[in-house]
Each structure stands twice: as C-alpha cells, then as structure tokens.
Amino acid sequence: MVESKSDLRVIKTRKSIMQAFIKLSDIKDFKHITVKDITQEALINRATFYYHFSDIYDLLDKALAEELLINLNYENYKHEKLTEETIANIFKTIAEFQLSLNRRCHRSYPETIGSIIQEHIERVLYKLLLEITFEDDDIRQLAASMLSASIYRASEKWCHGYSEVPAETYIKSVTPYIISGLVSRE
C-alpha cells in the first residue's frame, strides 16, 4: 500500500524529524548536524529521512519555512492595506523570529536562512502591494523584493545591537518615509 504524504503516520514522522532537528540545533551549529544525528534523535532510519527530505538543506529550508509561515502568514494581513502599522507588525514578527534563531543554526548559514525569510516577506508584501497602482507587475515584484530585503536587513541590525529597544519602536522611525514613497505613487 502506498502511503500518502497526508497520512497521519507520515505527518507524525515528518514532525518528529523537524523536532529532532530543532532540538539538535539548540545544542550544535548547523554545519555540525548530520543526517545520522537527526535519525538517531528522531528514532528513524536514513531511508525514512530521505523519504521526507532530499538532504539536510532541504530540512533546514522546510523547518524554517514552516516555523516562519506560522508567524508570518498572509492570512493575518489579507484584510489590511500596506501602512506604517502593517510594516511595523511584519518587522516585529521577523525581528522576533530572527532573535529566536540567533542561538541556533543562524550562526552557520545566515545566507540560507536570510533567503528563506526574505522570500516569505516578499510574498506577503507582494499581495499587499496589489492595492497600489504600479506601471506593471514586474515593478510591483521588484518593490516587494526591495522592501523585503530592507525589512530583513533591518531586523538583523536590530538583533545585533538594538534588541533592548522594542522592535516596533525601532522600525517606526523609518516607516513614514517608506509609506510616503509608496503612497505618493497612487
């Protein structure tokens, strides 16, 4: 019998692998975590690991994406317009997510994690930018990409020197300039 990826056993095993990875990342740098470590922690065999993930980078991508999707879900923003408050809320979510990663694998592969985070921010921002008139969709996509990179980079700066300041306070000093540039286009 062929198992579906929505089969409860498959879901539980996938969750067990991700939990083992997260537990290991609390005590080891990403570059020192092996598939063997994960399979031993999750009490599975290598074949089971490779049934769910192509390699450890795929696991990193999926684990972070899943954790980030819980925190940065477009459904939370779909009835909102792009405002200073919306940008502050997105920034706060990303900054707090970044802070939680600082003690884990973030030290080893910031570029991998950064690209995952930026892709998720970009998707949310793109949908929010649909309310604003652009010459064409490529420009809207570019605006979402640039804004997501800016939010990500600002969250990194906040984590590495300003985290004693509330994330909303930190970002709100610049949001009026961002919004005025976008709104003036309408």
Side-chain angles (χ1 to χ4, degrees):
M1 182 167 133
V2 176
E3 293 178 355
S4 158
K5 290 228 179 193
S6 63
D7 180 315
L8 189 55
R9 292 170 295 172
V10 173
I11 293 168
K12 284 182 176 183
T13 302
R14 183 180 173 88
K15 185 176 181 178
S16 172
I17 295 169
M18 286 188 179
Q19 287 173 337
F21 171 69
I22 289 168
K23 182 178 179 184
L24 288 166
S25 69
D26 282 341
I27 55 177
K28 286 181 160 185
D29 253 3
F30 174 78
K31 64 184 173 187
H32 298 296
I33 298 173
T34 65
V35 171
K36 182 178 180 181
D37 294 333
I38 294 165
T39 59
Q40 286 176 340
E41 183 67 35
L43 301 174
I44 59 166
N45 62 41
R46 278 181 92 74
T48 301
F49 175 88
Y50 287 111
Y51 173 78
H52 293 276
F53 304 99
S54 58
D55 58 22
I56 199 158
Y57 296 96
D58 184 37
L59 171 59
L60 172 66
D61 182 35
K62 301 243 175 24
L64 289 175
E66 202 167 285
E67 189 176 334
L68 186 57
L69 279 175
I70 291 167
N71 298 318
L72 186 67
N73 187 341
Y74 176 69
E75 294 300 313
N76 301 335
Y77 300 99
K78 78 177 189 181
H79 298 295
E80 294 187 31
K81 292 190 178 285
L82 190 61
T83 64
E84 290 179 38
E85 190 67 30
T86 309
I87 290 175
N89 288 338
I90 292 170
F91 176 80
K92 180 181 179 210
T93 299
I94 298 305
E96 289 173 353
F97 182 74
Q98 287 264 77
L99 206 52
S100 76
L101 287 176
N102 274 345
R103 64 177 213 277
R104 290 193 251 174
C105 52
H106 185 65
R107 295 171 297 213
S108 303
Y109 285 90
E111 67 282 348
T112 304
I113 293 169
S115 65
I116 294 167
I117 294 170
Q118 286 181 58
E119 283 177 30
H120 287 282
I121 301 169
E122 190 175 325
R123 282 189 212 122
V124 169
L125 291 171
Y126 175 81
K127 289 177 183 177
L128 290 168
L129 288 171
L130 289 172
E131 300 292 322
I132 297 174
T133 304
F134 283 87
E135 291 147 27
D136 64 42
D137 198 56
D138 289 341
I139 295 172
R140 178 179 291 108
Q141 188 65 52
L142 179 59
S145 180
M146 290 179 72
L147 192 51
S148 74
S150 298
I151 289 172
Y152 174 76
R153 184 67 180 115
S155 72
E156 278 188 319
K157 273 189 166 302
W158 178 80
C159 287
H160 298 292
Y162 298 95
S163 58
E164 69 281 348
V165 176
E168 303 94 305
T169 304
Y170 180 76
I171 199 66
K172 281 189 177 183
S173 63
V174 73
T175 54
Y177 302 105
I178 295 168
I179 292 300
S180 68
L182 289 169
V183 173
S184 68
R185 297 199 35 79
E186 292 187 275

